[in-house]
Amino acid sequence: MPRLHPFRRGWLLRLAATRRFQVWAARIPFVRRIARAKGAALFDVVAGFVNAQVLMALVELRVLHLLQDGPMAVPQMAGLCAVPPERMQVLLQAGAGLGLLKRHADGRFGLAIGGASLLGVPGLQAMILHHRALYADLADPVAFLRDGSDTQLARFWPYVFGAAGAVDPQVTATYSELMAESQVLVAEDTLRMIPLTGVRRLLDVGGGTGAFLAAVGRAYPQMQLDLFDLPVVLEGARQRLADSGFADRLALHPGSFRDDPLPVGADAISLVRVLYDHDDSTVLRLLQAVHAALPAGGRLIISEPMSGGAVPDRATDVYFAIYTMAMQTGRTRSAAEIEALLSSAGFATISFHKGFRPFITSVITARRG
Ligand SMILES: CC(C)=CCC/C(C)=C/CC/C(C)=C/C=C/C(C)=C/C=C/C=C(C)/C=C/C=C(C)/C=C/C=C(C)/C=C/CC(C)(C)O
Ligand SMILES: C[S@@+](CC[C@H](N)C(=O)[O-])C[C@H]1O[C@@H](n2cnc3c(N)ncnc32)[C@H](O)[C@@H]1O
């Protein structure tokens, strides 16, 4: 909506809520276009949960994979997916309606650009499948908002709670794999926004199995790399990084930032998708520890999806805010909120770089004064 004086805005909102105005608007040529667009946008919000479940079925039935080699007829797809043909027809038609599939003139279905792109995004299908947990948590959204103390999502990511030794390595491996795959676009966008030219040694705190450092290592062949994460996670990283080609430049530092000091010696520290897992007091202590570990002039890079704050954002203020709420341990913060925590921890020269895909990441950089 255009910027309006609060009085006019209130008047317009009251008008839009009346049936008579809606009927009038549908008849007037220019206003009709706006009303139609508002209606379509509202319908998308209303129907969003069905769209997501159609997507879930397409991924679970591996429909996109099956169509990778070319279009197929509905009965053949029905046989391969063990779904009755008339119901398969509805699913494929719905997939085409969502722009993931293409309906050909002969009635066969193939991939559309949307579906093909989905296949090419690392880890996206695994992410979609793990949404089952969030979907279950949101089945009764009001109950979730009033008391979200027992959520499936919290159990999905158990060691965000910091129970360093107490976690099953099998669970950790699943977690780390999903994180590492979904890291690829985050690393790409972060490095595109923030050149690390001049950095001699980078410490990635909460770096998981080293996916971000691997991307940094490829882009900056001279840089020394340090990885700090929980011991059980670094066990997985060791195997993954052993044959990465830059093992000689990499040092692993097992520990918990809740209990252990951070290693010193790096002139830059990164926190990629770490802060939003934790509450404000943990984040403040972590930022203070980062401040202490950096030399004067040392650089901090924070990269994660951020709330739009004063300008609410469609992706981060819905998906990531609800997601982190269901995880129970942290929250999706706005750039202003992170900047305030940085100032409290003693950082100076703080700057925000809004992501060109805010649903992937945005970045804040700061320096130790
Ligand atoms: C030449 C002609 C005629 C046409 C050209 C057409 C053209 C240019 C087509 C473009 C095709 C193309 C290159 C498409 C590219 C599409 C891409 C890159 C899409 C990327 C999509 C990414 C998505 C949807 C990412 C989703 C990420 C999610 C859901 C991440 C979730 C992360 C979570 C839950 C993290 C949790 C961490 C925790 C636990 C909170 O700590
Ligand atoms: C959301 S993952 C992000 C991983 C990686 N930076 C990425 O973006 O893919 C959060 C990481 O923080 C680590 N972490 C959580 N609590 C920690 C703690 N107390 N000390 C060190 N690392 C911790 C987790 O093990 C996990 O690897």
Side-chain angles (χ1 to χ4, degrees):
M1 197 153 86
R3 275 182 193 279
L4 291 175
H5 183 278
F7 176 75
R8 285 218 188 112
R9 193 183 171 83
W11 169 76
L12 200 60
L13 293 176
R14 277 193 296 279
L15 210 56
T18 65
R19 191 60 212 130
R20 266 181 68 191
F21 178 73
Q22 291 176 0
V23 172
W24 173 82
R27 278 199 239 107
I28 310 300
F30 175 67
V31 188
R32 184 164 56 204
R33 282 225 320 265
I34 302 176
R36 197 186 304 139
K38 292 284 175 207
L42 190 55
F43 188 80
D44 258 2
V45 175
V46 171
F49 75 106
V50 185
N51 296 348
Q53 290 301 77
V54 165
L55 177 66
M56 178 69 78
L58 291 171
V59 172
E60 193 174 322
L61 293 169
R62 296 179 58 81
V63 167
L64 303 175
H65 284 277
L66 291 170
L67 296 176
Q68 234 171 343
D69 293 330
M72 274 198 222
V74 175
Q76 193 186 359
M77 289 297 292
L80 289 169
C81 297
V83 172
E86 61 286 0
R87 300 177 83 81
M88 196 68 201
Q89 171 80 44
V90 173
L91 175 65
L92 296 175
Q93 183 81 9
L98 289 175
L100 299 169
L101 305 180
K102 178 172 167 51
R103 185 180 162 144
H104 292 266
D106 59 6
R108 290 181 308 157
F109 285 87
L111 285 182
I113 294 275
S117 311
L118 196 156
L119 284 174
V121 178
L124 186 51
Q125 291 179 84
M127 267 293 167
I128 291 167
L129 290 174
H130 105 294
H131 284 155
R132 270 195 190 292
L134 181 56
Y135 196 80
D137 292 337
L138 296 178
D140 182 343
V142 174
F144 166 77
L145 286 166
R146 290 194 174 136
D147 172 21
S149 58
D150 182 26
T151 58
Q152 289 196 18
L153 210 57
R155 293 194 287 276
F156 191 91
W157 301 122
Y159 66 98
V160 168
F161 292 99
V167 174
D168 178 352
Q170 192 55 50
V171 175
T172 310
T174 313
Y175 171 101
S176 295
E177 191 55 36
L178 191 55
M179 272 302 121
E181 284 194 340
S182 65
Q183 237 291 343
V184 174
L185 297 192
V186 179
E188 248 172 51
D189 286 12
T190 306
L191 292 178
R192 192 165 151 178
M193 282 187 272
I194 308 297
L196 297 179
T197 326
V199 172
R200 186 183 46 79
R201 185 166 167 190
L202 175 72
L203 167 66
D204 192 26
V205 173
T209 51
F212 181 61
L213 285 185
V216 173
R218 281 191 295 273
Y220 298 91
Q222 305 304 322
M223 202 184 290
Q224 293 298 311
L225 310 165
D226 291 278
L227 177 58
F228 181 93
D229 208 302
L230 298 169
V232 67
V233 177
L234 289 196
E235 272 317 304
R238 214 176 288 282
Q239 293 150 20
R240 178 186 273 267
L241 295 168
D243 44 17
S244 61
F246 54 88
D248 54 324
R249 292 192 273 143
L250 178 73
L252 302 187
H253 305 271
S256 166
F257 53 64
R258 288 173 188 275
D259 312 311
D260 305 309
L262 296 176
V264 291
D267 52 344
I269 293 183
S270 49
L271 291 165
V272 183
R273 302 196 295 179
V274 170
L275 300 190
Y276 68 178
D277 279 348
H278 302 281
D279 62 25
D280 284 2
S281 62
T282 306
V283 169
L284 183 57
R285 272 183 284 121
L286 171 57
L287 294 178
Q288 285 164 339
V290 168
H291 189 268
L294 280 171
R299 210 166 162 203
L300 168 61
I301 298 125
I302 293 169
S303 177
E304 64 184 32
M306 293 173 199
S307 155
V311 186
D313 173 75
R314 193 181 169 90
T316 58
D317 282 308
V318 185
Y319 179 83
F320 286 101
I322 298 291
Y323 190 107
T324 47
M325 184 187 262
M327 279 178 61
Q328 299 178 11
T329 53
R331 65 193 185 88
T332 303
R333 297 180 181 81
S334 66
E337 288 172 313
I338 296 174
E339 285 167 10
L341 287 161
L342 282 167
S343 298
S344 304
F347 281 94
T349 341
I350 302 169
S351 45
F352 170 54
H353 310 256
K354 187 178 164 83
F356 70 98
R357 297 185 285 192
F359 59 94
I360 300 292
T361 200
S362 287
V363 178
I364 292 180
T365 54
R367 281 195 190 271
R368 179 177 171 159

